[in-house]
């Protein structure tokens, strides 16, 4: 198995069965991610160096407008897509095997967890993992300590309140919060613009 076959497996939603080929390859990818994140987190890096390390981690070109405050953690890295003008604050943890797409202008607060794998609920199959993508729309703001669970799409312009646990899709231009996250209010962009 190579990285493209591995990502195709994950992105088609096929389960990763413990001990089989995809699972063994997942462990190899994890070791590479751990090496790169250790380098990223162990000493000061300029913004330009952080960008280069994130490109190594993801295996993709990232726009120079990207910014991050380390530390940053992931056990894969290769299934992350980052848009333009994205900011990731310190302490974030991305479990990206199921796929994480971050839209242009997204702001991700301190200690946010993005988790794209669920273990099987049957005790005898607990080692089996089920990938599902997280998609973060343009200009989304995710507050500190929020957790986004597998399969969630966050619509453009939405705000996830600090500490929220998001278990289902979030509509565009809305604010959600709580555990589990619930609708708080609609964002009136014309009213917000007048306040500036």
């Amino acid at each position: 198995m190579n990285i493209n076959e591995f990502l195709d497996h994950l992105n088609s939603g096929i389960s990763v069965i413990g001990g089989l080929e995809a699972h063994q390859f997942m462990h190899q990818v994890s070791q590479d991610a751990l090496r790169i994140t250790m380098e990223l987190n162990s000493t000061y890096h300029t913004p330009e160096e952080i960008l280069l390390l994130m490109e190594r981690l993801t295996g993709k070109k990232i726009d120079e407008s990207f910014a991050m405050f380390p530390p940053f953690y992931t056990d894969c890295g290769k299934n992350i897509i980052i848009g333009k003008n994205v900011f990731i604050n310190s302490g974030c943890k991305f479990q990206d095997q199921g796929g994480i797409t971050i839209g242009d202008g997204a702001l991700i607060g301190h200690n946010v967890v993005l988790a794209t794998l669920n273990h099987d609920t049957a005790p005898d199959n607990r080692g089996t993992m089920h990938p599902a993508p997280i998609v973060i729309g343009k200009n989304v703001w995710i507050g500190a300590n929020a957790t986004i669970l597998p399969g969630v799409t966050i619509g453009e312009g939405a705000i996830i309140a600090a500490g929220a646990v998001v278990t289902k899709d979030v509509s565009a231009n809305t604010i959600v919060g709580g555990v589990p996250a619930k609708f708080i209010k609609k964002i009136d962009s014309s009213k917000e613009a007048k306040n500036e």
Side-chain angles (χ1 to χ4, degrees), residues 15 32 36 41-42 60-61 70 85-86 89 91 94 108 113 129 137 141 152-153 155 159 171 186:
S15 296
D32 188 45
I36 296 169
N41 298 332
S42 65
K60 299 171 187 74
K61 184 78 177 146
N85 297 304
V86 168
N89 219 325
F94 289 11
I108 300 179
V113 174
M129 291 165 277
W141 174 20
V152 168
T153 295
I159 297 173
S171 298
K186 185 91 173 141

Side-chain angles (χ1 to χ4, degrees), residues 72-83:
F72 173 79
Y73 305 94
T74 182
D75 55 359
C76 182
K78 297 297 188 258
N79 215 4
I80 302 172
I81 298 171
I82 299 172

Side-chain angles (χ1 to χ4, degrees), residues 85-194:
N85 297 304
V86 168
F87 175 67
I88 299 173
N89 219 325
S90 63
C92 290
K93 299 169 183 73
F94 289 11
Q95 180 196 49
D96 63 285
Q97 287 88 342
I100 295 172
T101 301
I102 304 172
D104 296 347
L107 304 174
I108 300 179
H110 292 88
N111 301 316
V112 166
V113 174
L114 304 180
T116 65
L117 288 177
N118 269 323
H119 286 276
D120 202 271
T121 55
D124 291 344
N125 295 324
R126 197 59 51 81
T128 295
M129 291 165 277
H130 307 289
I134 291 172
V135 178
I136 299 168
K138 292 180 179 178
N139 301 313
V140 166
W141 174 20
I142 301 177
N145 295 302
T147 298
I148 315 298
L149 295 184
V152 168
T153 295
I154 301 173
E156 291 188 12
I159 297 173
I160 310 301
V165 176
V166 184
T167 61
K168 59 185 180 179
D169 290 353
V170 176
S171 298
N173 299 308
T174 60
I175 301 174
V176 301
V179 180
K182 292 185 176 16
F183 174 83
I184 295 174
K185 72 174 190 174
K186 185 91 173 141
I187 297 170
D188 181 352
S189 56
S190 62
K191 182 178 176 183
E192 301 297 325
K194 290 178 187 173

Side-chain angles (χ1 to χ4, degrees), residues 12-57:
S12 63
I14 299 171
S15 296
V16 177
I17 299 171
L20 295 186
E21 184 181 20
H23 187 243
Q24 292 170 4
F25 192 83
M26 183 183 287
H27 282 290
Q28 294 173 26
V29 173
S30 293
Q31 294 308 302
D32 188 45
L34 292 171
R35 277 190 293 275
I36 296 169
T37 55
M38 182 62 72
E39 184 178 347
L40 174 66
N41 298 332
S42 65
T43 188
Y44 170 77
H45 296 285
T46 66
E48 296 79 15
E49 291 168 338
I50 290 171
L51 178 65
L52 291 174
L53 285 163
M54 286 299 290
E55 288 182 339
R56 272 180 50 208
L57 182 64

